[in-house]
Amino acid sequence: GSSAAKETTAASDNNQTTAESTEAGSTTGEKILKVQVGPDPETVDPALNSAVDGGNMILHAFEGLLTLDENGQLKEGQAESWETSEDGLTWTFHLRDGLKWSDGTDLTAKDFVYSWQRVCDPNVAAPYAETVLGMVKGYDEAIAGDITKLDVQAPDEKTVVVNLANPCSYFGELAAFATLNPVQQATVEANGDAWATSADTYISNGPFMMTEWVPGSHITFSKNPNYWNAEAIKLDKLEFELIEDPNAAYSAYTSGEVDMIKDVPTEEIPSLQGNDDFHVDPIIGTYYISLNLQKEYFQDARVRKALSLAIDRNYVANTLMQGTYSPASAIVGPGWLDTDGSSFAENANGGTPYIDNDNFDANLEEAKKLLEEAGYPNGEGFPQIEYTTNDAGYHKVVAEYLQQAWAAIGIDLKVNIVEWASFTPMRRNGEFDVARNGWVGDYTDPSNILELFCTTNGNNDGKYTNADFDAAIEDSRATTDAATRSADLHKAEDTLMNDAGCIPIAYYNDFWLQSSKITGSWHSSNGFWYFMYADIAE
């Protein structure tokens, strides 16, 4: 997701009062909006981030060639116009006049060439490289080490030309995606990866620029005077409060110190439902479990299916998660679009759910049978396994439920709660038996979630590998025919679900608390809050 200019957000600027007093933490008459979207992010380097909280910060600091508006539609960003060749293989972007970095230096087409080649640099190891650039000509040679082979050109300072190896109907959405934001070459080369860890070196090109980062406390973004659309930005500062504990977030919200919080304590939800400040909005995303398929005991698909079938998803979503999530029967849930614009999920598996959530008793019997067939009758001989998760939202109650659910088929599960900052690297490095996982779509094409399970994908935490699955995804990339591409993507999901390559649990909704004083902000179906054009009304 990315940002888009909105001229008509608040009524008008004529006499909007500025936020004073402690309400917005300011007595200087500055407009400061304080929000909580998560604790300290693992990274805010556009090339390295794959988490929603870091993505939400990057969204306000950077801008890509294109952006998305409040309806999720593509709009001009750093590019004022773009066109695609008739065969769909050449995309040309024309930059706006006078673009600048937050330090006041010129931003040109060459910056995009550098930044996109950097995403392909094997030494950078960008988790999204294949997803966002795999269709560009020369990608294979680039990811193998010769990044100059990536066919992205700057014929002059204001033009970016991208040549694709095969057509990609949603490439415009990729041009609006954070991984492909431009970063400043001189800064990255002078500071290495550390450039993105300090306000002094975090040079950006979006509506805001980082002016302070106090780890464990807050990250302050101030209005970027060098942004091309700075006139439309009404806030002086946007402060992200780095709070990990939902109870602390809630108390900061109720005392008026913070104007919006994402981490609402789950025990407060029943009392908040129906309250004007409490928002629930569906997003394209699935809460799932990764099994570490490099562990010998998970290599039998019958074991994986048994673990999946032993979970009562209706109970998890409707009771444990208080109806804030919906029970999942597939990895691709509602909101993802098939190639003809219809619902991908409704077309899956011949119209019947892969997992029948309404017959849990039958599923449990089947789970016991599969485990016995795999050589572990009543779980005998199966080792104790460990479930790794961070403690936010419903993660802990789900972990405790899994202990009971899997004990019912004779499997002993230990729960390991780790901090958010160390959780994602552990998961990526395979330092787990079973781990909580989740994916929120970056764009509505189902390839975005299915590709996670390709052998070579940087976000394939469970290290799932299946030649039929990889071939189906490969075929979907090579075809120009929409119906064929749809069939390939459905075949990939059929393979994954039949294999229990991951265990889907629930489909996401975002739920959060937001003061009615905030005007002109919006929330997107890929789980981001857009505050760049927000205002604070008293």
Side-chain angles (χ1 to χ4, degrees):
S2 212
S3 72
K6 271 178 46 168
E7 299 306 328
T8 54
T9 45
S12 75
D13 291 11
N14 48 16
N15 52 21
Q16 291 263 309
T17 47
T18 50
E20 277 159 23
S21 80
T22 53
E23 278 213 70
S26 161
T27 48
T28 56
E30 283 188 311
K31 282 189 186 175
I32 302 178
L33 178 60
K34 297 189 173 188
V35 301
Q36 182 269 344
V37 298
D40 273 287
E42 184 198 352
T43 177
V44 285
D45 184 330
L48 296 179
N49 177 64
S50 59
V52 179
D53 59 334
N56 220 133
M57 295 168 188
I58 291 166
L59 177 66
H60 289 85
F62 286 87
E63 184 173 85
L65 289 167
L66 305 181
T67 63
L68 297 173
D69 68 12
E70 65 273 31
N71 302 312
Q73 300 302 308
L74 274 180
K75 282 190 69 166
E76 303 79 10
Q78 297 282 285
E80 61 183 0
S81 66
W82 75 98
E83 67 263 355
T84 314
S85 60
E86 232 168 277
D87 61 7
L89 293 174
T90 302
W91 289 62
T92 306
F93 300 89
H94 304 282
L95 300 187
R96 297 174 187 276
D97 286 330
L99 290 174
K100 300 243 186 277
W101 291 102
S102 56
D103 64 1
T105 57
D106 291 341
L107 185 155
T108 70
K110 282 195 191 67
D111 291 305
F112 282 94
V113 175
Y114 163 75
S115 304
W116 290 22
Q117 288 179 348
R118 176 176 180 255
V119 168
C120 287
D121 185 339
N123 300 314
V124 172
Y128 265 115
E130 182 182 319
T131 301
V132 295
L133 293 171
M135 69 297 294
V136 176
K137 242 165 108 177
Y139 170 81
D140 293 337
E141 293 143 291
I143 204 78
D146 186 354
I147 59 174
T148 62
K149 288 285 195 289
L150 188 76
D151 200 340
V152 179
Q153 315 288 338
D156 59 57
E157 296 212 325
K158 284 188 56 189
T159 314
V160 178
V161 180
V162 187
N163 291 304
L164 305 185
N166 34 51
C168 175
S169 56
Y170 57 89
F171 192 75
E173 294 190 76
L174 296 178
F177 183 52
T179 307
L180 294 182
N181 283 336
V183 294
Q184 192 183 61
Q185 184 168 1
T187 298
V188 176
E189 286 178 351
N191 299 282
D193 280 349
W195 78 273
T197 60
S198 149
D200 299 337
T201 51
Y202 196 68
I203 307 296
S204 65
N205 72 321
F208 291 87
M209 57 188 200
M210 191 190 294
T211 46
E212 188 181 30
W213 185 345
V214 181
S217 174
H218 60 275
I219 301 180
T220 304
F221 285 92
S222 300
K223 176 175 170 166
N224 173 10
N226 291 301
Y227 179 55
W228 68 268
N229 199 19
E231 284 171 18
I233 310 303
K234 301 177 181 70
L235 297 174
D236 295 299
K237 288 182 180 156
L238 174 61
E239 194 171 286
F240 289 96
E241 305 302 324
L242 305 172
I243 306 172
E244 181 143 17
D245 173 34
N247 292 306
Y250 185 64
S251 102
Y253 181 80
T254 48
S255 69
E257 286 166 65
V258 180
D259 305 305
M260 171 268 169
I261 62 166
K262 179 192 178 181
D263 290 315
V264 181
T266 53
E267 61 275 14
E268 299 294 341
I269 285 172
S271 67
L272 292 170
Q273 280 167 343
N275 173 333
D276 286 346
D277 279 17
F278 183 65
H279 301 262
V280 180
D281 206 12
I283 54 176
I284 45 170
T286 303
Y287 188 112
Y288 69 96
I289 293 173
S290 286
L291 303 175
N292 185 342
L293 301 186
Q294 291 180 322
K295 307 271 181 181
E296 200 182 323
Y297 38 89
F298 290 141
Q299 285 170 5
D300 187 327
R302 293 171 297 194
V303 168
R304 305 194 294 264
K305 281 185 201 168
L307 292 170
S308 175
L309 288 167
I311 298 166
D312 183 346
R313 292 165 174 81
N314 285 352
Y315 175 74
V316 172
N318 299 325
T319 303
L320 293 181
M321 294 170 155
Q322 300 172 313
T324 55
Y325 289 62
S326 323
S329 56
I331 187 68
V332 182
W336 299 91
L337 302 182
D338 215 323
T339 54
D340 62 358
S342 64
S343 159
F344 188 86
E346 284 172 22
N347 303 334
N349 200 32
T352 49
Y354 293 104
I355 301 165
D356 180 358
N357 288 323
D358 295 328
N359 277 310
F360 176 62
D361 292 343
N363 291 349
L364 186 59
E365 286 317 303
E366 176 71 4
K368 291 174 178 168
K369 199 176 107 202
L370 285 165
L371 207 53
E372 187 168 350
E373 283 171 19
Y376 305 105
N378 303 318
E380 283 161 33
F382 201 85
Q384 183 190 57
I385 52 177
E386 186 173 78
Y387 182 79
T388 303
T389 179
N390 62 312
D391 183 10
Y394 297 100
H395 302 334
K396 198 170 168 179
V397 292
V398 169
E400 288 160 357
Y401 166 75
L402 289 172
Q403 280 184 306
Q404 298 165 21
W406 289 349
I409 57 170
I411 287 181
D412 183 16
L413 182 69
K414 196 169 138 234
V415 172
N416 178 27
I417 306 270
V418 295
E419 279 188 337
W420 173 238
S422 43
F423 176 55
T424 41
M426 278 174 76
R427 199 171 59 188
R428 199 166 35 245
N429 300 334
E431 296 164 29
F432 68 92
D433 291 329
V434 188
R436 172 192 84 73
N437 216 326
W439 188 257
V440 177
D442 305 305
Y443 39 89
T444 54
D445 192 88
S447 62
N448 177 245
I449 189 166
L450 289 169
E451 278 176 351
L452 297 180
F453 302 98
C454 287
T455 302
T456 54
N457 191 285
N459 289 308
N460 181 356
D461 297 331
K463 305 291 184 276
Y464 175 69
T465 176
N466 178 305
D468 292 339
F469 179 89
D470 289 348
I473 294 288
E474 213 39 65
D475 291 348
S476 79
R477 290 173 180 161
T479 182
T480 53
D481 180 70
T484 309
R485 182 165 185 270
S486 169
D488 293 333
L489 292 172
H490 282 294
K491 183 182 170 195
E493 189 179 26
D494 292 345
T495 307
L496 177 73
M497 291 301 298
N498 189 42
D499 243 359
C502 72
I503 300 178
I505 301 289
Y507 302 130
Y508 281 110
N509 295 298
D510 266 337
F511 50 93
W512 73 99
L513 279 165
Q514 179 170 324
S515 161
S516 57
K517 290 188 316 192
I518 304 175
T519 59
S521 73
W522 72 91
H523 172 260
S524 71
S525 70
N526 36 12
F528 289 130
W529 284 267
Y530 285 71
F531 292 116
M532 56 283 292
Y533 298 105
D535 201 351
I536 302 173
E538 282 309 313

